[in-house]
Amino acid sequence: MEQLAAAVTLKNVFQPAVKEIAPSELSPDGKTPSDDKILNGESHGLENSNINKEEMLDGTASADRAAERDHKKTRKGGLPILYRIEYEDLDGVVRPGKEDQEPIEVEISPRAELPVLEVVTTIVAKIKDKKNKSDDKEEKPEYEVRSVKGTVLNIHSTALVYAFRKIVDYWPGQSFSGTSITVPEPFSILVYYREKLVEWVDKLACDDHEGKYSREEAFEHVEILEGFLDRKYKSELKLERERHSGNVPVATFEYLWLLFIPGTVVYASDEDSNGNLSAFIVKSVTGGRRTGPSTEPSPYEITLWNLDFDGRYVGRSRRTVELIPYDGEREISDLAVFPEKFHVRDEEFKTKFGDRTLKEVLIERGKAFYDLTRRSYKGYKGETISLPKRTVRGTLVQIAEKPPTLIFMQIEGKVMVDFESFYARDAGEDDKYPKPSLGDFDGGTTPSCYCESCLSKLREVKKSPFAGYDKIDPKEKQELTNDQYLLCSGRVFGFVLQTRSWGKLSYSLISPFIPSSCQVNIFIYRFQG
């Protein structure tokens, strides 16, 4: 039996005639010639009807007469008003219902009590053709399964829905606005917030203030959710976390999603900072699943953001890193993107930065970047950056666009750092460094309580932890927080005065003093295509 949602559609086919009145037909008091006739019941044949003027003016015309009129045909043989029911199923398909000249009463069927959790798996399949068809009874169709489209968990528990609204600080893309929550596999938000959920229910001192659930019911539903996660993952999550905590932290591809929690800091090789590591915030993780037991898993797509400057404002700039499937285990620090706690201070790093951590180095870089958002003349000694470079296991490799040519200048002289003029230049369609697109990727604030009384009074509003990271004006805000400096981009654009050309500069080679002489050497490297 299909579950159908009834939708009532009123179709009014009665259209009164409209006549345009010329200005010359208006009387000095603004009335039309027919105004008095209408008020006297002399228009549209009402002068010969049984409805008097008083009934028409005060709206007391007989409902019986109206119903009788609605059943009469119009001059062209149609009905004045038709009421129609249409049924829309849960898949959004509209199906025909019934029609009547009388208003149709819609009765809502009582719905069975929803389960606490509902696991829904969508399968792509083909209906098998049956050779021996029987007309005696309607048999259920048999399906030939092609692939698994995906699995979601619908949480219908009022207590659990309320709990997640309270404890989740940042999870873009996850909706908490309805009476139920839908969480896609691998249910990462449930795994990550499991401990906080248990803490929440342990601290629950009384029933819900709206009377929608009891304390005992909250305990019961949390236990049901924990049981579901235990059955789903058994001991796999424990084993994976043990891999993460080893002397050399490693991870399997299947459970990489455990590493990338929305709102946490990660490091990734950044072409904007000459292939060095930069800090980003995780926004979301998708992919990494199989559509069948023998199929290859899809790559993970890790959506990240950091802070960049568009010539006017500092704000969040988004990018995506793809992690290709691999077999066995891999060192976490060797991944293209990894959580900050897994950064290894190897000998090369210690030689370059001493006792400082990468976080401290990036905060220092962020302060220099924010200072350089204001137009200024600086000294520069070293290479400009044309195409991105990075070192992988001691080997310089190209991760650049085509044609495979690397051009950079060795400069010792004066440069003008000016983002606004750089983005305003005419670089043509093949601009390698377009103006960054900045924006708020979180959707604003989230109420911390969704009951009617709290929503109406707006007592509490839970802001995104990154609400102050958008549309920052360097002319008005003199400094940022260390958490914001950490996320600042590593790219700086300047105008080399000696060559009268723009260059992508390394912030570490920019100095506050201006040398008395200027020397420029241009180098061109060509890689084998």
Side-chain angles (χ1 to χ4, degrees):
M1 178 67 68
E2 282 186 304
Q3 292 182 328
L4 303 176
V8 183
T9 304
L10 173 63
K11 182 178 180 182
N12 190 347
V13 298
F14 176 71
Q15 298 290 341
V18 177
K19 177 183 178 183
E20 294 185 1
I21 306 297
S24 59
E25 297 183 65
L26 295 174
S27 63
D29 60 0
K31 293 183 178 180
T32 66
S34 59
D35 283 345
D36 292 334
K37 290 183 178 181
I38 293 175
L39 292 175
N40 292 323
E42 299 174 4
S43 179
H44 299 293
L46 291 179
E47 65 275 12
N48 298 322
S49 72
N50 295 326
I51 303 176
N52 59 38
K53 179 172 62 178
E54 288 75 13
E55 285 180 321
M56 180 179 65
L57 289 176
D58 64 12
T60 58
S62 169
D64 293 337
R65 291 196 185 100
E68 181 181 349
R69 182 183 64 244
D70 290 346
H71 281 270
K72 291 182 180 179
K73 300 288 186 179
T74 62
R75 294 180 181 179
K76 292 187 177 181
L79 292 173
I81 299 178
L82 177 67
Y83 296 89
R84 182 171 69 231
I85 287 285
E86 290 179 345
Y87 293 97
E88 180 177 324
D89 65 20
L90 299 179
D91 295 325
V93 179
V94 178
R95 304 181 186 277
K98 58 182 178 180
E99 299 177 349
D100 204 321
Q101 291 177 249
E102 296 291 337
I104 304 172
E105 294 291 335
V106 178
E107 295 183 3
I108 305 298
S109 303
R111 203 172 171 188
E113 183 69 23
L114 291 172
V116 175
L117 305 178
E118 180 183 27
V119 184
V120 181
T121 300
T122 303
I123 295 174
V124 178
K126 178 184 177 182
I127 298 179
K128 293 181 178 180
D129 294 329
K130 294 184 178 181
K131 297 181 179 180
N132 301 322
K133 295 183 178 180
S134 175
D135 297 332
D136 297 335
K137 60 179 180 179
E138 184 179 348
E139 297 182 2
K140 293 183 178 180
E142 294 182 5
Y143 296 97
E144 182 181 319
V145 177
R146 298 295 176 86
S147 63
V148 178
K149 192 173 182 180
T151 298
V152 299
L153 177 69
N154 295 324
I155 301 176
H156 299 299
S157 163
T158 302
L160 293 179
V161 170
Y162 178 79
F164 280 109
R165 287 171 181 164
K166 293 289 289 185
I167 65 178
V168 176
D169 293 321
Y170 183 80
W171 208 281
Q174 178 62 60
S175 174
F176 299 97
S177 59
T179 56
S180 298
I181 297 176
T182 298
V183 181
E185 197 176 18
F187 319 120
S188 52
I189 189 174
L190 307 182
V191 172
Y192 179 70
Y193 281 99
R194 179 174 178 172
E195 290 185 8
K196 292 185 178 181
L197 181 64
V198 174
E199 291 175 3
W200 170 82
V201 76
D202 286 341
K203 294 177 181 179
L204 203 60
C206 60
D207 296 346
D208 171 47
H209 63 287
E210 288 285 306
K212 294 182 178 178
Y213 62 87
S214 66
R215 184 170 180 266
E216 289 73 18
E217 183 179 291
F219 272 98
E220 179 188 24
H221 292 184
V222 169
E223 287 182 353
I224 292 173
L225 179 59
E226 285 195 288
F228 166 78
L229 294 175
D230 289 339
R231 288 192 302 274
K232 169 67 179 176
Y233 292 113
K234 299 177 183 177
S235 60
E236 282 88 348
L237 296 184
K238 180 181 178 182
L239 292 174
E240 188 68 15
R241 290 184 173 120
E242 289 176 354
R243 295 184 183 102
H244 296 174
S245 59
N247 292 331
V248 179
V250 295
T252 62
F253 182 81
E254 183 179 2
Y255 290 103
L256 275 182
W257 53 269
L258 284 172
L259 296 174
F260 304 108
I261 306 301
T264 57
V265 176
V266 294
Y267 295 138
S269 180
D270 185 12
E271 63 182 42
D272 286 339
S273 60
N274 201 20
N276 295 314
L277 292 175
S278 291
F280 299 86
I281 294 293
V282 177
K283 177 185 179 291
S284 62
V285 181
T286 59
R289 67 177 191 84
R290 302 175 186 269
T291 58
S294 60
T295 59
E296 185 78 8
S298 61
Y300 283 103
E301 287 192 358
I302 319 294
T303 303
L304 313 169
W305 59 261
N306 68 346
L307 294 179
D308 207 342
F309 183 57
D310 66 358
R312 180 68 178 88
Y313 296 107
V314 171
R316 287 185 277 180
S317 177
R318 182 166 50 187
R319 68 184 60 195
T320 300
V321 176
E322 187 176 84
L323 297 179
I324 305 299
Y326 59 85
D327 296 326
E329 302 172 347
R330 181 166 294 184
E331 289 188 31
I332 295 176
S333 59
D334 280 346
L335 298 172
V337 55
F338 57 88
E340 61 174 333
K341 70 177 183 179
F342 293 106
H343 176 253
V344 178
R345 296 177 65 256
D346 55 20
E347 292 303 319
E348 181 182 355
F349 183 90
K350 293 178 183 178
T351 301
K352 190 173 182 179
F353 299 109
D355 294 332
R356 290 183 296 170
T357 64
L358 178 57
K359 182 175 183 178
E360 292 171 335
V361 171
L362 293 180
I363 289 175
E364 179 185 338
R365 187 186 77 176
K367 292 178 179 179
F369 171 84
Y370 194 67
D371 180 63
L372 292 170
T373 57
R374 305 166 183 89
R375 180 185 300 173
S376 57
Y377 288 94
K378 299 289 183 180
Y380 192 87
K381 185 177 181 180
E383 298 175 1
T384 63
I385 306 168
S386 179
L387 298 185
K389 298 183 296 181
R390 67 173 290 192
T391 300
V392 178
R393 299 189 183 279
T395 305
L396 183 66
V397 299
Q398 180 195 19
I399 54 169
E401 45 276 277
K402 294 181 179 181
T405 301
L406 173 62
I407 304 176
F408 65 92
M409 295 180 288
Q410 184 79 25
I411 295 176
E412 184 177 354
K414 186 191 296 184
V415 296
M416 180 184 71
V417 179
D418 185 354
F419 282 82
E420 184 176 0
S421 298
F422 176 80
Y423 289 128
R425 81 200 190 288
D426 184 10
E429 296 181 357
D430 297 329
D431 189 1
K432 299 172 185 174
Y433 308 112
K435 182 177 179 179
S437 178
L438 309 181
D440 174 7
F441 308 123
D442 301 339
T445 59
T446 303
S448 61
C449 181
Y450 282 72
C451 71
E452 292 300 325
S453 60
C454 290
L455 282 177
S456 61
K457 297 176 183 178
L458 296 178
R459 291 175 180 167
E460 303 175 24
V461 176
K462 183 192 294 182
K463 290 186 177 181
S464 163
F466 306 106
Y469 285 57
D470 298 301
K471 214 170 185 180
I472 302 171
D473 190 344
K475 296 178 182 178
E476 298 179 358
K477 192 167 185 177
Q478 296 303 311
E479 59 183 21
L480 304 177
T481 66
N482 282 345
D483 289 340
Q484 291 173 324
Y485 284 134
L486 174 66
L487 300 171
C488 284
S489 172
R491 65 179 183 176
V492 178
F493 298 107
F495 190 74
V496 182
L497 300 184
Q498 184 71 11
T499 61
R500 300 187 64 81
S501 63
W502 290 98
K504 184 180 177 186
L505 310 177
S506 174
Y507 90 97
S508 61
L509 303 179
I510 297 175
S511 58
F513 62 89
I514 301 175
S516 57
S517 62
C518 182
Q519 180 179 353
V520 179
N521 296 312
I522 300 177
F523 299 88
I524 300 178
Y525 286 84
R526 295 191 180 276
F527 292 88
Q528 294 296 326

